[in-house]
Amino acid sequence: SGQTVVDEAHLLAADVRARVDATVSDLRLRTGDRVALVVPRSLHGMSVEEYAARVGRRFGFSSGETGVLVVYAPRERAWRIEPGPGLERVFPREVAARLIPRSRPDGAADAVADVVRSTADVLIAERRESVRRQASPWGGRPGWPVLIALGSGLAAAVRALA
C-alpha cells in the first residue's frame, strides 16, 4: 500500500513521473495488481537482486498482495524486475529479464517509464488471457502470444521471446 514510486536518485522529471503514475494507476484499476518503482541513490553494496528482495518484502509484496517491483539503480546501472509471490507464475523472471533495456545511457528516465509500461502491459495481457482460458471449453493455450498486440516497448520484448 501507499507510495508506488520512490525516486531517491531524482532521476524522473515531472512529465516522466506523471507517465509512470498514470501507468501504475491504470494497472491497479484494470487488474488489481500493483507495480512499484524504486530508483535508489545507491544499492548500498548489495546486489540489485538482494536489494529488490528486501524492498519487496518491506513494500508488502510478501504479504499476499500481488505486485511487481521495478528497481533501477542509476549509479550502478543495474535493473531488476521482481514479481511478488502471487505473480511468479503469471510473470516469470525470464519474461521480466527480457523487458530490461540492453543500454540506454542518455535516456534512463524514459527507459524506466517504458519498463514500467511494458511490465503493466504484460500483466494486463496475462490477466485477459487467463480469463479467456477459463472461459474456453478447450482450456486455452499459454497466454504469451497475445502480447504481440500491445505497445511498441513490449513488441521488442515479445520478439526476444521468439
Short mmCIF file of all heavy atoms in Angstrom, two decimals, residues 71-124:
data_model
loop_
_atom_site.label_atom_id
_atom_site.label_comp_id
_atom_site.label_asym_id
_atom_site.label_seq_id
_atom_site.Cartn_x
_atom_site.Cartn_y
_atom_site.Cartn_z
N VAL A 71 13.13 -2.05 -10.04
CA VAL A 71 14.23 -1.30 -9.43
C VAL A 71 15.21 -0.92 -10.52
O VAL A 71 15.62 -1.76 -11.32
CB VAL A 71 14.97 -2.15 -8.37
CG1 VAL A 71 16.18 -1.41 -7.82
CG2 VAL A 71 14.03 -2.54 -7.23
N TYR A 72 15.56 0.37 -10.56
CA TYR A 72 16.64 0.83 -11.43
C TYR A 72 17.59 1.65 -10.57
O TYR A 72 17.19 2.65 -9.98
CB TYR A 72 16.13 1.68 -12.59
CG TYR A 72 17.29 2.25 -13.40
CD1 TYR A 72 18.19 1.41 -14.04
CD2 TYR A 72 17.49 3.62 -13.47
CE1 TYR A 72 19.25 1.93 -14.76
CE2 TYR A 72 18.56 4.15 -14.19
CZ TYR A 72 19.44 3.29 -14.83
OH TYR A 72 20.50 3.80 -15.53
N ALA A 73 18.83 1.19 -10.48
CA ALA A 73 19.86 1.88 -9.71
C ALA A 73 20.79 2.58 -10.70
O ALA A 73 21.65 1.93 -11.29
CB ALA A 73 20.63 0.91 -8.84
N PRO A 74 20.61 3.89 -10.93
CA PRO A 74 21.39 4.57 -11.97
C PRO A 74 22.89 4.60 -11.69
O PRO A 74 23.68 4.49 -12.63
CB PRO A 74 20.80 5.99 -12.00
CG PRO A 74 19.98 6.14 -10.78
CD PRO A 74 19.64 4.77 -10.30
N ARG A 75 23.28 4.70 -10.44
CA ARG A 75 24.71 4.73 -10.13
C ARG A 75 25.39 3.44 -10.58
O ARG A 75 26.47 3.45 -11.15
CB ARG A 75 24.94 4.96 -8.64
CG ARG A 75 26.42 4.98 -8.26
CD ARG A 75 26.62 5.19 -6.79
NE ARG A 75 26.33 6.60 -6.48
CZ ARG A 75 26.19 7.08 -5.26
NH1 ARG A 75 26.29 6.28 -4.22
NH2 ARG A 75 25.94 8.35 -5.07
N GLU A 76 24.73 2.32 -10.31
CA GLU A 76 25.28 1.02 -10.66
C GLU A 76 24.83 0.55 -12.04
O GLU A 76 25.28 -0.48 -12.52
CB GLU A 76 24.86 -0.02 -9.61
CG GLU A 76 25.45 0.20 -8.24
CD GLU A 76 24.62 1.13 -7.35
OE1 GLU A 76 23.65 1.75 -7.86
OE2 GLU A 76 24.95 1.26 -6.16
N ARG A 77 23.89 1.29 -12.65
CA ARG A 77 23.27 0.91 -13.92
C ARG A 77 22.73 -0.51 -13.86
O ARG A 77 22.94 -1.33 -14.76
CB ARG A 77 24.24 1.06 -15.08
CG ARG A 77 24.53 2.51 -15.40
CD ARG A 77 25.28 2.65 -16.69
NE ARG A 77 25.37 4.05 -17.03
CZ ARG A 77 26.43 4.60 -17.57
NH1 ARG A 77 27.49 3.87 -17.86
NH2 ARG A 77 26.44 5.87 -17.85
N ALA A 78 22.03 -0.79 -12.77
CA ALA A 78 21.50 -2.12 -12.53
C ALA A 78 19.98 -2.10 -12.50
O ALA A 78 19.38 -1.18 -11.95
CB ALA A 78 22.03 -2.65 -11.19
N TRP A 79 19.38 -3.11 -13.10
CA TRP A 79 17.93 -3.26 -13.19
C TRP A 79 17.49 -4.54 -12.51
O TRP A 79 18.20 -5.54 -12.55
CB TRP A 79 17.49 -3.41 -14.65
CG TRP A 79 17.57 -2.20 -15.48
CD1 TRP A 79 18.62 -1.81 -16.25
CD2 TRP A 79 16.53 -1.24 -15.72
NE1 TRP A 79 18.29 -0.66 -16.93
CE2 TRP A 79 17.02 -0.30 -16.62
CE3 TRP A 79 15.23 -1.10 -15.23
CZ2 TRP A 79 16.26 0.78 -17.06
CZ3 TRP A 79 14.47 -0.04 -15.67
CH2 TRP A 79 14.99 0.89 -16.57
N ARG A 80 16.28 -4.53 -11.99
CA ARG A 80 15.65 -5.77 -11.52
C ARG A 80 14.14 -5.57 -11.59
O ARG A 80 13.62 -4.56 -11.15
CB ARG A 80 16.06 -6.07 -10.09
CG ARG A 80 15.46 -7.33 -9.51
CD ARG A 80 16.04 -8.56 -10.15
NE ARG A 80 15.53 -9.77 -9.48
CZ ARG A 80 15.91 -10.96 -9.80
NH1 ARG A 80 16.81 -11.14 -10.75
NH2 ARG A 80 15.42 -11.99 -9.18
N ILE A 81 13.48 -6.56 -12.16
CA ILE A 81 12.02 -6.61 -12.13
C ILE A 81 11.69 -7.85 -11.30
O ILE A 81 12.01 -8.97 -11.70
CB ILE A 81 11.41 -6.69 -13.54
CG1 ILE A 81 11.85 -5.48 -14.37
CG2 ILE A 81 9.89 -6.78 -13.45
CD1 ILE A 81 11.43 -5.54 -15.82
N GLU A 82 11.10 -7.62 -10.15
CA GLU A 82 10.88 -8.68 -9.17
C GLU A 82 9.38 -8.92 -8.98
O GLU A 82 8.70 -8.10 -8.36
CB GLU A 82 11.52 -8.26 -7.84
CG GLU A 82 11.46 -9.29 -6.76
CD GLU A 82 12.43 -10.44 -6.98
OE1 GLU A 82 13.47 -10.26 -7.62
OE2 GLU A 82 12.12 -11.54 -6.50
N PRO A 83 8.86 -10.04 -9.52
CA PRO A 83 7.44 -10.33 -9.28
C PRO A 83 7.23 -10.77 -7.84
O PRO A 83 8.06 -11.50 -7.27
CB PRO A 83 7.15 -11.47 -10.26
CG PRO A 83 8.46 -12.09 -10.56
CD PRO A 83 9.51 -11.03 -10.36
N GLY A 84 6.15 -10.33 -7.25
CA GLY A 84 5.80 -10.76 -5.91
C GLY A 84 5.33 -12.20 -5.92
O GLY A 84 5.08 -12.77 -6.97
N PRO A 85 5.19 -12.80 -4.73
CA PRO A 85 4.84 -14.21 -4.64
C PRO A 85 3.55 -14.59 -5.38
O PRO A 85 3.45 -15.66 -5.93
CB PRO A 85 4.68 -14.46 -3.14
CG PRO A 85 5.38 -13.34 -2.48
CD PRO A 85 5.38 -12.19 -3.42
N GLY A 86 2.58 -13.70 -5.44
CA GLY A 86 1.33 -14.01 -6.11
C GLY A 86 1.41 -13.96 -7.63
O GLY A 86 0.48 -14.36 -8.31
N LEU A 87 2.52 -13.47 -8.17
CA LEU A 87 2.62 -13.30 -9.63
C LEU A 87 3.77 -14.07 -10.26
O LEU A 87 4.03 -13.92 -11.45
CB LEU A 87 2.78 -11.82 -9.97
CG LEU A 87 1.55 -10.97 -9.74
CD1 LEU A 87 1.85 -9.50 -10.01
CD2 LEU A 87 0.39 -11.43 -10.60
N GLU A 88 4.47 -14.91 -9.52
CA GLU A 88 5.63 -15.60 -10.08
C GLU A 88 5.26 -16.50 -11.26
O GLU A 88 6.02 -16.61 -12.21
CB GLU A 88 6.37 -16.37 -9.00
CG GLU A 88 7.12 -15.44 -8.07
CD GLU A 88 7.73 -16.14 -6.88
OE1 GLU A 88 7.18 -17.19 -6.46
OE2 GLU A 88 8.74 -15.64 -6.38
N ARG A 89 4.08 -17.14 -11.21
CA ARG A 89 3.66 -17.98 -12.34
C ARG A 89 3.17 -17.13 -13.51
O ARG A 89 3.40 -17.46 -14.66
CB ARG A 89 2.57 -18.96 -11.92
CG ARG A 89 3.10 -20.14 -11.12
CD ARG A 89 2.02 -21.15 -10.79
NE ARG A 89 0.96 -20.51 -10.00
CZ ARG A 89 -0.33 -20.55 -10.32
NH1 ARG A 89 -0.75 -21.18 -11.37
NH2 ARG A 89 -1.22 -19.94 -9.56
N VAL A 90 2.48 -16.05 -13.20
CA VAL A 90 1.94 -15.17 -14.23
C VAL A 90 3.04 -14.35 -14.90
O VAL A 90 2.99 -14.08 -16.09
CB VAL A 90 0.90 -14.21 -13.58
CG1 VAL A 90 0.47 -13.12 -14.55
CG2 VAL A 90 -0.30 -14.98 -13.09
N PHE A 91 4.04 -13.98 -14.12
CA PHE A 91 5.09 -13.08 -14.59
C PHE A 91 6.45 -13.67 -14.24
O PHE A 91 7.13 -13.22 -13.31
CB PHE A 91 4.92 -11.72 -13.90
CG PHE A 91 5.60 -10.58 -14.59
CD1 PHE A 91 4.91 -9.77 -15.45
CD2 PHE A 91 6.94 -10.31 -14.36
CE1 PHE A 91 5.52 -8.71 -16.07
CE2 PHE A 91 7.57 -9.25 -14.99
CZ PHE A 91 6.86 -8.45 -15.85
N PRO A 92 6.86 -14.73 -14.95
CA PRO A 92 8.12 -15.40 -14.61
C PRO A 92 9.33 -14.47 -14.79
O PRO A 92 9.31 -13.55 -15.59
CB PRO A 92 8.18 -16.58 -15.56
CG PRO A 92 7.17 -16.32 -16.62
CD PRO A 92 6.19 -15.33 -16.09
N ARG A 93 10.36 -14.73 -14.03
CA ARG A 93 11.57 -13.90 -14.07
C ARG A 93 12.20 -13.85 -15.47
O ARG A 93 12.81 -12.86 -15.83
CB ARG A 93 12.58 -14.39 -13.04
CG ARG A 93 12.16 -13.98 -11.64
CD ARG A 93 13.26 -14.20 -10.62
NE ARG A 93 12.83 -13.66 -9.34
CZ ARG A 93 12.13 -14.33 -8.44
NH1 ARG A 93 11.79 -15.57 -8.67
NH2 ARG A 93 11.79 -13.76 -7.30
N GLU A 94 12.04 -14.92 -16.24
CA GLU A 94 12.60 -14.92 -17.61
C GLU A 94 11.94 -13.83 -18.46
O GLU A 94 12.59 -13.18 -19.26
CB GLU A 94 12.40 -16.29 -18.28
CG GLU A 94 13.02 -17.46 -17.56
CD GLU A 94 12.16 -17.95 -16.39
OE1 GLU A 94 10.92 -18.05 -16.51
OE2 GLU A 94 12.76 -18.24 -15.34
N VAL A 95 10.65 -13.66 -18.29
CA VAL A 95 9.93 -12.61 -19.03
C VAL A 95 10.36 -11.25 -18.51
O VAL A 95 10.64 -10.33 -19.28
CB VAL A 95 8.40 -12.79 -18.91
CG1 VAL A 95 7.66 -11.59 -19.48
CG2 VAL A 95 7.97 -14.07 -19.63
N ALA A 96 10.44 -11.12 -17.20
CA ALA A 96 10.87 -9.85 -16.60
C ALA A 96 12.24 -9.44 -17.11
O ALA A 96 12.46 -8.28 -17.47
CB ALA A 96 10.88 -9.97 -15.07
N ALA A 97 13.15 -10.39 -17.19
CA ALA A 97 14.52 -10.08 -17.64
C ALA A 97 14.53 -9.56 -19.08
O ALA A 97 15.35 -8.70 -19.43
CB ALA A 97 15.40 -11.31 -17.52
N ARG A 98 13.60 -10.03 -19.88
CA ARG A 98 13.56 -9.59 -21.29
C ARG A 98 13.00 -8.18 -21.46
O ARG A 98 13.14 -7.58 -22.52
CB ARG A 98 12.75 -10.58 -22.11
CG ARG A 98 13.49 -11.89 -22.29
CD ARG A 98 12.74 -12.81 -23.22
NE ARG A 98 13.52 -14.00 -23.45
CZ ARG A 98 13.21 -15.19 -22.97
NH1 ARG A 98 12.13 -15.37 -22.26
NH2 ARG A 98 13.97 -16.23 -23.23
N LEU A 99 12.37 -7.64 -20.43
CA LEU A 99 11.82 -6.28 -20.52
C LEU A 99 12.87 -5.21 -20.20
O LEU A 99 12.66 -4.04 -20.47
CB LEU A 99 10.64 -6.13 -19.55
CG LEU A 99 9.44 -7.01 -19.83
CD1 LEU A 99 8.36 -6.76 -18.78
CD2 LEU A 99 8.89 -6.79 -21.22
N ILE A 100 13.99 -5.63 -19.64
CA ILE A 100 15.04 -4.69 -19.26
C ILE A 100 15.81 -4.26 -20.49
O ILE A 100 16.28 -5.10 -21.25
CB ILE A 100 15.97 -5.32 -18.20
CG1 ILE A 100 15.18 -5.60 -16.93
CG2 ILE A 100 17.17 -4.43 -17.94
CD1 ILE A 100 15.92 -6.40 -15.90
N PRO A 101 15.94 -2.94 -20.70
CA PRO A 101 16.65 -2.47 -21.90
C PRO A 101 18.13 -2.85 -21.87
O PRO A 101 18.74 -2.88 -20.80
CB PRO A 101 16.48 -0.95 -21.85
CG PRO A 101 16.02 -0.62 -20.49
CD PRO A 101 15.46 -1.86 -19.87
N ARG A 102 18.67 -3.13 -23.04
CA ARG A 102 20.09 -3.50 -23.13
C ARG A 102 21.00 -2.34 -22.74
O ARG A 102 21.89 -2.48 -21.96
CB ARG A 102 20.44 -3.99 -24.54
CG ARG A 102 19.69 -5.23 -24.92
CD ARG A 102 20.23 -6.43 -24.14
NE ARG A 102 19.48 -7.61 -24.48
CZ ARG A 102 18.74 -8.30 -23.63
NH1 ARG A 102 18.63 -7.93 -22.39
NH2 ARG A 102 18.09 -9.36 -24.02
N SER A 103 20.79 -1.18 -23.34
CA SER A 103 21.55 0.00 -22.93
C SER A 103 20.83 1.23 -23.44
O SER A 103 20.29 1.24 -24.54
CB SER A 103 22.98 -0.03 -23.50
OG SER A 103 22.95 0.17 -24.88
N ARG A 104 20.80 2.24 -22.62
CA ARG A 104 20.14 3.48 -22.97
C ARG A 104 20.67 4.57 -22.04
O ARG A 104 19.93 5.14 -21.26
CB ARG A 104 18.64 3.31 -22.76
CG ARG A 104 17.82 3.99 -23.84
CD ARG A 104 16.40 3.53 -23.75
NE ARG A 104 15.53 4.65 -24.04
CZ ARG A 104 14.23 4.58 -24.04
NH1 ARG A 104 13.64 3.46 -23.75
NH2 ARG A 104 13.53 5.63 -24.31
N PRO A 105 21.97 4.85 -22.10
CA PRO A 105 22.59 5.74 -21.12
C PRO A 105 22.02 7.15 -21.08
O PRO A 105 21.91 7.73 -20.01
CB PRO A 105 24.06 5.75 -21.52
CG PRO A 105 24.11 5.23 -22.91
CD PRO A 105 22.90 4.38 -23.11
N ASP A 106 21.64 7.71 -22.23
CA ASP A 106 21.15 9.09 -22.23
C ASP A 106 19.66 9.19 -21.93
O ASP A 106 19.17 10.27 -21.62
CB ASP A 106 21.42 9.75 -23.59
CG ASP A 106 22.91 9.94 -23.83
OD1 ASP A 106 23.67 9.91 -22.84
OD2 ASP A 106 23.30 10.10 -24.99
N GLY A 107 18.95 8.10 -22.03
CA GLY A 107 17.51 8.15 -21.82
C GLY A 107 17.05 7.29 -20.67
O GLY A 107 16.03 6.63 -20.76
N ALA A 108 17.79 7.30 -19.57
CA ALA A 108 17.47 6.41 -18.45
C ALA A 108 16.07 6.65 -17.90
O ALA A 108 15.35 5.70 -17.62
CB ALA A 108 18.51 6.55 -17.35
N ALA A 109 15.66 7.90 -17.75
CA ALA A 109 14.34 8.19 -17.19
C ALA A 109 13.24 7.65 -18.12
O ALA A 109 12.28 7.03 -17.65
CB ALA A 109 14.16 9.68 -16.95
N ASP A 110 13.38 7.88 -19.42
CA ASP A 110 12.40 7.34 -20.36
C ASP A 110 12.42 5.82 -20.37
O ASP A 110 11.37 5.18 -20.48
CB ASP A 110 12.65 7.88 -21.77
CG ASP A 110 12.22 9.32 -21.93
OD1 ASP A 110 11.25 9.73 -21.25
OD2 ASP A 110 12.85 10.04 -22.72
N ALA A 111 13.61 5.22 -20.24
CA ALA A 111 13.71 3.76 -20.18
C ALA A 111 12.96 3.22 -18.98
O ALA A 111 12.27 2.21 -19.07
CB ALA A 111 15.17 3.33 -20.16
N VAL A 112 13.09 3.91 -17.85
CA VAL A 112 12.38 3.49 -16.63
C VAL A 112 10.87 3.51 -16.88
O VAL A 112 10.16 2.56 -16.57
CB VAL A 112 12.77 4.38 -15.43
CG1 VAL A 112 11.84 4.16 -14.26
CG2 VAL A 112 14.21 4.12 -15.02
N ALA A 113 10.37 4.60 -17.45
CA ALA A 113 8.94 4.70 -17.74
C ALA A 113 8.50 3.61 -18.72
O ALA A 113 7.43 3.02 -18.56
CB ALA A 113 8.61 6.09 -18.29
N ASP A 114 9.33 3.32 -19.72
CA ASP A 114 9.00 2.28 -20.70
C ASP A 114 8.95 0.90 -20.05
O ASP A 114 8.08 0.08 -20.38
CB ASP A 114 10.01 2.27 -21.85
CG ASP A 114 9.91 3.49 -22.75
OD1 ASP A 114 8.91 4.25 -22.65
OD2 ASP A 114 10.86 3.71 -23.53
N VAL A 115 9.87 0.62 -19.14
CA VAL A 115 9.88 -0.67 -18.46
C VAL A 115 8.64 -0.82 -17.58
O VAL A 115 8.02 -1.89 -17.55
CB VAL A 115 11.18 -0.86 -17.65
CG1 VAL A 115 11.08 -2.05 -16.70
CG2 VAL A 115 12.37 -1.04 -18.59
N VAL A 116 8.26 0.23 -16.88
CA VAL A 116 7.04 0.18 -16.07
C VAL A 116 5.83 -0.07 -16.97
O VAL A 116 4.97 -0.90 -16.67
CB VAL A 116 6.87 1.45 -15.22
CG1 VAL A 116 5.50 1.50 -14.55
CG2 VAL A 116 7.97 1.54 -14.16
N ARG A 117 5.75 0.63 -18.10
CA ARG A 117 4.63 0.44 -19.04
C ARG A 117 4.62 -0.99 -19.59
O ARG A 117 3.57 -1.63 -19.66
CB ARG A 117 4.76 1.45 -20.19
CG ARG A 117 3.74 1.29 -21.32
CD ARG A 117 2.38 1.85 -20.96
NE ARG A 117 1.48 0.77 -20.58
CZ ARG A 117 0.35 0.94 -19.92
NH1 ARG A 117 -0.05 2.12 -19.54
NH2 ARG A 117 -0.41 -0.07 -19.62
N SER A 118 5.77 -1.50 -19.97
CA SER A 118 5.84 -2.87 -20.51
C SER A 118 5.46 -3.90 -19.45
O SER A 118 4.79 -4.89 -19.75
CB SER A 118 7.25 -3.16 -21.03
OG SER A 118 7.54 -2.34 -22.14
N THR A 119 5.87 -3.67 -18.22
CA THR A 119 5.51 -4.56 -17.11
C THR A 119 3.99 -4.58 -16.94
O THR A 119 3.38 -5.65 -16.83
CB THR A 119 6.20 -4.10 -15.81
OG1 THR A 119 7.62 -4.16 -16.01
CG2 THR A 119 5.81 -4.97 -14.63
N ALA A 120 3.38 -3.41 -16.94
CA ALA A 120 1.92 -3.32 -16.82
C ALA A 120 1.24 -4.00 -18.00
O ALA A 120 0.25 -4.72 -17.82
CB ALA A 120 1.49 -1.85 -16.71
N ASP A 121 1.76 -3.80 -19.21
CA ASP A 121 1.18 -4.43 -20.39
C ASP A 121 1.19 -5.95 -20.29
O ASP A 121 0.22 -6.63 -20.66
CB ASP A 121 1.92 -4.00 -21.66
CG ASP A 121 1.63 -2.56 -22.07
OD1 ASP A 121 0.67 -1.96 -21.55
OD2 ASP A 121 2.40 -2.04 -22.91
N VAL A 122 2.30 -6.51 -19.80
CA VAL A 122 2.39 -7.96 -19.63
C VAL A 122 1.34 -8.44 -18.64
O VAL A 122 0.64 -9.43 -18.88
CB VAL A 122 3.81 -8.38 -19.16
CG1 VAL A 122 3.82 -9.84 -18.69
CG2 VAL A 122 4.82 -8.19 -20.27
N LEU A 123 1.20 -7.74 -17.53
CA LEU A 123 0.22 -8.15 -16.51
C LEU A 123 -1.21 -8.06 -17.04
O LEU A 123 -2.02 -8.97 -16.83
CB LEU A 123 0.38 -7.29 -15.25
CG LEU A 123 1.66 -7.55 -14.46
CD1 LEU A 123 1.83 -6.49 -13.39
CD2 LEU A 123 1.66 -8.94 -13.86
N ILE A 124 -1.52 -6.99 -17.74
CA ILE A 124 -2.87 -6.82 -18.31
C ILE A 124 -3.16 -7.92 -19.33
O ILE A 124 -4.22 -8.54 -19.31
CB ILE A 124 -3.04 -5.42 -18.93
CG1 ILE A 124 -3.07 -4.36 -17.81
CG2 ILE A 124 -4.29 -5.34 -19.80
CD1 ILE A 124 -2.89 -2.93 -18.31
#
